Every structure is written in C-alpha cells, then in structure tokens.
Amino acid sequence: MRPKGPHGRPRLDDAQFALLEAELNRGPAAHGYVDDQRWTLGRVAGLISKLFAIDYTVPGVSLLLRRNGWSVQVPGRRAIERDERAIAAWKREVWPQVEAPRRTWAPGSVSKTRPARGSGRPKDGPGAGVDTGRR
C-alpha cells in the first residue's frame, strides 16, 4: 500500500502541443467556426478534447497557451464593411437631431436629500439686478 505520489492530470506533451499549434494555425473555420474567425479559450478547450481526449478547463487552457508563448490577441473593433462617408454624413445630419441640447451651468448639489435651490448668490450682491435668462 505504498502511495503512488500526487495525482496528476494528463497534460499535453511537446508533440501533442505541436499538433495543437498546427491545428490552431489552420484557423477556426477549418474546425467549423465559420461565423466568427477568433479562437476563444472555450473553443481551444473543445479542440483539445476532440483531438486528444483530454479535458482542460478554460483557465487551464489559458495557462497552457501562455506557458508555450501564446498571448491574447484582441481584434480591431472596426468592421470590414465600414463606410467612412456614410458615418460622416450620419454625424453631420442625423446626430444633431438625436442629441439632446447641453444644459447650461446651474448650481447643483451631490446630496439627494438636500438639492440646491437658487443661484446661491446674495440678493443684494454683484449682478443682483442682471437678468441671466434662466427661469
């Protein structure tokens, strides 16, 4: 009844990781992900499970990839179909109608229970007789 040491989960060896890397380089479309051309950690975990019958968690896949020199890549946020002229026209013609006018300065308070009232200016102070146009 000798202990066999700590239980170790199966890991990918160098040859298996080289095969995984080759499959990742083929791209997501080669593995059925035609709608989105990005490798997510969940998709990589599914590929590992399909190829080697080894189940990795999402954090485990992240560690595996980082350990082997892979890094997170964030795609550009611009669509290929982006039309700069249409965007400029929309900003020029439509946005001014949608955007609410900006409020002019008015006294305020951060307190929800005691909101500010009036301008806080003394009635007999400088500018007391000047109409500011605020109502």
Side-chain angles (χ1 to χ4, degrees):
M1 295 213 7
R2 290 179 55 203
K4 296 180 183 178
H7 174 71
R9 292 185 172 238
R11 298 177 105 184
L12 295 181
D13 59 18
D14 292 337
Q16 289 174 320
F17 189 79
L19 177 62
L20 173 66
E21 203 166 22
E23 291 297 317
L24 290 174
N25 286 329
R26 285 181 55 206
H31 297 281
Y33 301 110
V34 292
D35 58 327
D36 185 10
Q37 292 296 303
R38 290 182 283 180
W39 280 115
T40 63
L41 294 175
R43 289 178 178 182
V44 175
L47 182 62
I48 293 171
S49 180
K50 185 172 87 174
L51 292 174
F52 309 111
I54 298 174
D55 291 328
Y56 269 86
T57 63
V58 170
V61 171
S62 177
L63 286 172
L64 173 73
L65 293 175
R66 278 190 285 139
R67 219 179 278 138
N68 287 286
W70 285 62
S71 63
V72 175
Q73 303 293 310
V74 179
R77 299 284 184 209
R78 296 192 177 216
I80 295 171
E81 302 87 10
R82 185 177 171 102
D83 183 3
E84 295 295 334
R85 281 186 275 162
I87 293 170
W90 186 89
K91 284 181 180 178
R92 188 176 51 253
E93 298 165 11
V94 178
W95 180 244
Q97 297 169 6
V98 175
E99 182 182 35
R102 293 182 182 250
R103 294 181 62 192
T104 59
W105 182 88
S109 172
V110 295
S111 172
K112 292 181 181 179
T113 57
R114 295 185 57 123
R117 288 191 204 119
S119 68
R121 185 183 302 167
K123 301 288 184 217
D124 59 347
V130 177
D131 184 23
T132 60
R134 285 188 244 146
R135 305 259 182 241

